[in-house]
Amino acid sequence: MPKISSDKLWDLAAAEVHSRETGGGEEDGRESVSERTVFLMGSKAGGKTTILLRCLDRDEPSKPTLALEYTFGRRARGHNTPKDIAHLWELGGGISLSDLVQIPITPVSIRSLSIILILDLSKPNSLWGTMENLLQAAQAQLEKVLSLTQQGQKTKSSTKHQTSGQPAARVLPKDFPDRELISPFPVPLLIIGSKYDLFQEFDSDKRKVVNKTLRFIAHYYAASLIFTSIKSDSLMSKTKSFFSHLAFGLDRGKTVSSDPTKPLFIPAGSDSFGQIGPPPATDVDITSRHVKTPKDQWKKAYEQIFPPENTNEQRELKDPAKDPRYNEPQIDSMRAQKDQELDQKKRNAAKSWKGLELDK
């Protein structure tokens, strides 16, 4: 991910403070700058950074995300108009760093926050675990922020200035399909199935299971679902349009495709449980197992076909002090000298203890 200069960060911070103080709207006859936040998370090495760079039209090589990285995008509405800003956060490490969701999900960002969950279609055995862990972590933080905000509202007098711009729980249209049977995610959610070029080589029966399961998950959370591949310009074009919709409020188009032989493209509210059908049939009678909800039933059925892999991902990342991207010759030489001094002290201490033991 590209580094952001301190000048640009200060400009963004100043714009954010100014926006909060003025409460948005127009000032001095000028259009206000729209600011949104998009938080990307998903499968480890699932293509998050590459997809983000393509959506931002940045022609630069992608690098592994160290932990949690920030960048931003700007888009002008027209000639001589202010540029809208999208604050973009990307979580690396798959599920191993899910605790970091508390950084991009805050009382300020939640007012205009969207989440993109990128799942690697070429690794179906880890797909459910990745989805479940990350969504649970994000939802817990979202509910915590909403709860704290509501408590803060109760302790303040209900003036227009104090209540304007406060975050509120997501509300679906009354005609949303299966509205009484789903559990909407607190903020707009987009699920992207990446590496479709590899996924389409799978056995057709296995593809159908993944397709139906992801359709169920997306509809259950009132989320949108699309499949993409960085090797397909047409799929990336559709992905970019949906990204621009979340980041800048642009039209996402009206394309809908639920054909299991083609890449899925299903905006929220375009599917239904009736169209998705029941969970995939398995040799084991899942109805006899202890399942409390339809989601649990789908999980049992999916894991019968795609047994989950070990989700205990290594939480230890590479030492950033040794990362060539952050070379600082003077600091690195001093660090090497201190490391040598530390090793020498350890050796001396070991000799002292051995000497004491010999005396005894």
Side-chain angles (χ1 to χ4, degrees):
M1 298 289 291
K3 292 184 178 180
I4 309 301
S5 69
S6 59
D7 292 340
K8 291 183 178 179
L9 283 176
W10 277 114
D11 291 341
L12 290 172
E16 173 68 14
V17 172
H18 184 268
S19 176
R20 293 185 211 172
E21 292 177 346
T22 59
E26 297 181 356
E27 183 180 5
D28 299 332
R30 295 175 297 176
E31 292 186 76
S32 62
V33 175
S34 171
E35 296 191 39
R36 297 171 183 248
T37 300
V38 180
F39 177 30
L40 290 87
M41 58 184 185
S43 303
K44 188 175 183 178
K48 299 182 293 296
T49 303
T50 304
I51 291 174
L52 177 58
L53 291 175
R54 292 283 293 275
C55 289
L56 293 173
D57 291 328
R58 293 182 182 174
D59 185 16
E60 56 187 82
S62 61
K63 300 177 181 178
T65 303
L66 187 60
L68 179 70
E69 298 193 5
Y70 169 83
T71 186
F72 67 93
R74 291 188 178 187
R75 184 181 180 89
R77 303 179 195 176
H79 297 292
N80 299 323
T81 59
K83 292 183 178 181
D84 294 335
I85 300 172
H87 302 281
L88 308 170
W89 294 89
E90 181 191 345
L91 178 67
I95 65 175
S96 64
L97 299 173
S98 58
D99 292 345
L100 295 180
V101 299
Q102 60 185 313
I103 296 177
I105 302 177
T106 66
V108 174
S109 69
I110 199 175
R111 301 173 185 174
S112 59
L113 175 68
S114 300
I115 291 180
I116 297 178
L117 175 66
I118 299 178
L119 300 174
D120 188 344
L121 295 175
S122 68
K123 299 178 181 178
N125 294 79
S126 61
L127 187 147
W128 187 286
T130 299
M131 175 275 301
E132 189 172 47
N133 280 276
L134 290 176
L135 289 186
Q136 285 179 352
Q139 186 162 4
Q141 176 64 14
L142 286 165
E143 292 174 351
K144 179 181 178 181
V145 170
L146 287 170
S147 177
L148 291 174
T149 303
Q150 292 171 357
Q151 292 177 8
Q153 289 178 350
K154 292 180 181 179
T155 60
K156 295 180 180 180
S157 59
S158 57
T159 63
K160 181 178 180 181
H161 175 71
Q162 289 171 329
T163 59
S164 61
Q166 296 293 340
R170 183 183 176 195
V171 179
L172 298 180
K174 293 183 178 181
D175 59 348
F176 197 94
D178 306 310
R179 192 170 183 269
E180 303 299 326
L181 303 175
I182 63 177
S183 178
F185 206 68
V187 298
L189 172 65
L190 169 62
I191 300 177
I192 297 179
S194 64
K195 302 185 181 180
Y196 180 78
D197 55 303
L198 301 177
F199 177 69
Q200 65 181 348
E201 302 298 329
F202 283 25
D203 177 77
S204 61
D205 291 336
K206 291 186 176 182
R207 290 204 313 270
K208 289 179 181 178
V209 172
V210 175
N211 284 351
K212 289 186 64 174
T213 302
L214 287 181
R215 285 178 64 184
F216 168 82
I217 289 298
H219 187 56
Y220 179 78
Y221 285 114
S224 299
L225 172 65
I226 63 175
F227 285 0
T228 193
S229 169
I230 60 173
K231 296 182 179 180
S232 170
D233 291 338
S234 61
L235 291 181
M236 282 307 305
S237 177
K238 293 179 180 179
T239 305
K240 182 180 177 181
S241 68
F242 223 114
F243 170 84
S244 298
H245 170 71
L246 297 177
F248 303 108
L250 301 182
D251 184 14
R252 66 185 180 190
K254 299 181 180 180
T255 303
V256 178
S257 175
S258 58
D259 187 343
T261 64
K262 300 178 180 179
L264 297 182
F265 193 89
I266 308 176
S270 302
D271 214 343
S272 69
F273 290 142
Q275 294 175 350
I276 297 170
T282 62
D283 295 335
V284 180
D285 182 11
I286 58 176
T287 60
S288 65
R289 294 177 176 267
H290 299 288
V291 291
K292 298 180 179 179
T293 65
K295 181 183 173 185
D296 293 334
Q297 188 176 5
W298 276 85
K299 179 180 180 180
K300 294 292 184 182
Y302 184 84
E303 291 183 343
Q304 285 294 324
I305 300 172
F306 297 107
E309 296 177 344
N310 184 11
T311 57
N312 295 326
E313 297 181 3
Q314 295 182 352
R315 301 182 69 89
E316 296 183 1
L317 299 178
K318 294 181 179 179
D319 185 355
K322 300 178 181 178
D323 194 319
R325 291 182 293 172
Y326 309 114
N327 283 339
E328 293 287 349
Q330 294 181 347
I331 296 176
D332 293 342
S333 61
M334 183 62 69
R335 171 66 182 268
Q337 179 182 340
K338 294 299 181 182
D339 287 342
Q340 292 177 358
E341 294 176 0
L342 178 60
D343 290 338
Q344 185 61 45
K345 288 183 179 179
K346 289 179 179 179
R347 289 193 291 269
N348 293 338
K351 291 179 181 178
S352 299
W353 281 106
K354 288 180 180 179
L356 290 173
E357 291 176 357
L358 290 175
D359 291 341
K360 291 180 181 179

